[in-house]
Amino acid sequence: MSTARERILEATAELLATKDALAISTRVICERAKVGMPEIYRQFGDKEGLLTAVADLGFERFLANKRRNPLTEDPVADLRTAWDSHVAFALRNPHLYRLMFTPTGEVKPQGIKEAQALLLSAVERCRDAGRLRTTPELAGQSILSANVGVCVMALSFPDPFGSLDISQSVRDAVIGKATGDEHEDSRITTATVLAQALVGTLTGTAPADADAVDELARALRPKTP
C-alpha cells in the first residue's frame, strides 16, 4: 500500500504531464492524492519542497533512460546519442523538464549532480581514446549547458527554435569543438550561426564573425507585411 508521500509525489507527477508546475495548486494535488492539505506541509515543508522532490524523481527517470543508451566503440558518437536522448526526454516531458532544469526555488534538485557525473564519465571515455581537446570538466559543462539551452528554447519558443535541425547543428558544433570532430560546412543558416555563437560563449573562443552575426539578425528579424 502506497504511503501519503508516495501518493502526493505520484499525483504531482501525473498533473505535470499536462500542466506547468506553477499552474498546479496544492488543493488539486491533495484531491488527486486523497490526502488532507496539511499532509503536503508535513511531508515536504511547502509546495516548493514538493516540487523539488518531484524534480529529483524526474532526474531518476532521466538518468535511467540515459543508462539505457548503448555504448559503442566510438565514444564521440555515443556523446551525440546521449545528446539526442536528452532532447527526446525534454520533448516528451516538457513541464517536468522545466521543473528539473529551470528551478525557481532556493533549493535545487540534487539529481543535476548525478547527471553531470554521468556526462563526465562519457567525456572521459573520449579523453581516454585521445579524442578530447579540452579538460573533461569543461567539455562536460559546455555540452550540458548547450544541451539544456537547446531544449529550453525549443520548449519555450517552438517557432523558430523547435526544429531538430537546430539541435543537431548545435550538438555537432559543441561536441565537434570539444573533440576535434568538426565538419566543414560552407552553408550559413540560422541553426549554424546559433551553434557558432553558443560555442564561442561556452568555450571562450572568438565569437562568430560580423557577417555571420548580421546573417543571424536578418534571419530572426520579424518579416514586415
Side-chain angles (χ1 to χ4, degrees):
M1 186 175 179
S2 60
T3 65
R5 181 183 180 88
E6 290 169 341
R7 293 199 304 276
I8 292 169
L9 289 171
E10 181 180 358
T12 308
E14 289 173 351
L15 290 165
L16 279 169
T18 58
K19 292 183 178 180
D20 184 75
L22 294 178
I24 301 173
S25 70
T26 53
R27 179 185 59 79
V28 171
I29 293 171
C30 290
E31 288 176 355
R32 194 179 189 97
K34 294 181 171 53
V35 299
M37 286 285 288
E39 197 64 39
I40 284 182
Y41 300 96
R42 277 198 292 268
Q43 298 290 340
F44 303 99
D46 53 21
K47 184 181 178 182
E48 183 179 311
L50 167 59
L51 293 178
T52 300
V54 173
D56 275 320
L57 282 181
F59 270 108
E60 289 181 14
R61 288 173 49 193
F62 174 78
L63 293 167
N65 184 60
K66 285 282 191 181
R67 294 189 187 97
R68 285 194 290 270
N69 290 337
L71 294 182
T72 70
E73 294 181 356
D74 186 340
V76 177
D78 292 345
L79 274 181
R80 295 192 183 98
T81 297
W83 175 293
D84 291 342
S85 71
H86 183 131
V87 173
F89 180 92
L91 296 179
R92 286 196 307 268
N93 307 277
H95 303 300
L96 177 60
Y97 185 87
R98 287 194 186 95
L99 185 62
M100 292 163 55
F101 285 98
T102 60
T104 57
E106 293 183 5
V107 180
K108 308 302 181 185
Q110 294 301 299
I112 187 67
K113 296 178 181 178
E114 192 172 349
Q116 287 179 291
L118 192 63
L119 179 55
L120 180 61
S121 176
V123 172
E124 286 173 340
R125 290 184 63 228
C126 297
R127 178 202 60 194
D128 295 343
R131 299 178 66 185
L132 196 64
R133 282 180 168 180
T134 184
T135 65
E137 291 76 16
L138 180 58
Q141 290 167 342
S142 298
I143 292 168
L144 185 57
S145 296
N147 210 170
V148 173
V150 163
C151 291
V152 170
M153 290 297 283
L155 295 179
S156 300
F157 305 98
D159 182 17
F161 294 107
S163 169
L164 289 179
D165 288 343
I166 293 179
S167 172
Q168 291 165 3
S169 181
V170 177
R171 176 199 68 190
D172 292 345
V174 175
I175 293 177
K177 190 74 173 180
T179 64
D181 276 20
E182 297 154 302
H183 301 289
E184 290 292 333
D185 189 346
S186 59
R187 296 171 299 172
I188 296 295
T189 66
T190 301
T192 56
V193 176
L194 176 61
Q196 291 166 0
L198 269 171
V199 170
T201 300
L202 295 169
T203 64
T205 57
D209 59 65
D211 289 341
V213 172
D214 288 343
E215 178 69 23
L216 178 60
R218 285 195 297 273
L220 297 182
R221 187 177 297 125
K223 301 294 190 297
T224 56

